[in-house]
Amino acid sequence: MAVEVYLNFSGNCREAVEYYADVFETERPKFMTFGESPQNPEFPLPEEAKDLIMHTRLVISGSTVMFSDTFPGMPFVEGNNISLAVVSDSKEELTKYWDKLKQDGVVEMELQETFWTEYYGSLKDKYGIGWQFNLGQ
């Protein structure tokens, strides 16, 4: 299991990640855009979201740091654009921590299957800290 940092940007994620990759001399990042994700015809993807970064990661000095752009219309406050990601190969472990943190917290997305993993969810704990839970890498 790992707890990893997740940074959000307001449309300039690609630029920032390429900059960090150069600064820390890391492997070139692989980018997944919102436009590359499976589309739901009931909720068409806005044109301005298609090229925004949905997810990427860098390994910086042995630590994984993950990045994405915020989706158009989602709130973005510079300085509050960070969350912690709990990454585990154990569904039971994720559920145990999830159940404790969601008490007095606010669930943003229930633990559920997504197109990238069979188990993902996000919440803000009672102190306002953002957490993401992801099964596997």
Side-chain angles (χ1 to χ4, degrees):
M1 182 179 90
V3 175
E4 300 170 344
V5 177
Y6 209 110
L7 301 174
N8 296 108
F9 292 84
S10 183
N12 60 343
C13 181
R14 182 182 303 272
E15 174 187 331
V17 171
E18 288 173 344
Y19 170 76
Y20 296 137
D22 286 339
V23 167
F24 294 105
E25 301 174 352
T26 69
E27 186 175 310
R28 302 304 326 152
K30 296 178 182 132
F31 295 101
M32 178 190 306
T33 66
F34 286 105
E36 294 170 322
S37 65
Q39 302 301 303
N40 181 341
E42 294 178 29
F43 302 99
L45 187 66
E47 193 62 38
E48 67 270 21
K50 291 183 178 176
D51 292 329
L52 293 177
I53 304 304
M54 182 177 168
H55 178 76
T56 190
R57 69 177 68 211
L58 294 175
V59 177
I60 300 172
S61 298
S63 295
T64 299
V65 180
M66 298 180 286
F67 307 83
S68 72
D69 280 311
T70 54
F71 196 79
M74 300 275 300
F76 176 85
V77 178
E78 194 170 300
N80 292 342
N81 53 327
I82 185 169
S83 61
L84 299 174
V86 179
V87 180
S88 176
D89 290 327
S90 168
K91 197 173 191 179
E92 293 75 27
E93 186 174 50
L94 287 177
T95 302
K96 177 175 73 171
Y97 298 138
W98 171 269
D99 288 342
K100 290 179 181 179
L101 281 174
K102 79 174 186 179
Q103 291 178 10
D104 299 320
V106 177
V107 173
E108 296 168 325
M109 182 176 177
E110 284 291 344
L111 285 171
Q112 61 188 277
E113 186 172 348
T114 65
F115 70 90
W116 68 86
T117 184
E118 67 181 70
Y119 215 47
Y120 173 85
S122 63
L123 60 80
K124 284 205 185 310
D125 69 19
K126 65 182 181 179
Y127 300 105
I129 303 300
W131 294 87
Q132 298 181 57
F133 291 78
N134 196 73
L135 185 65
Q137 293 291 334

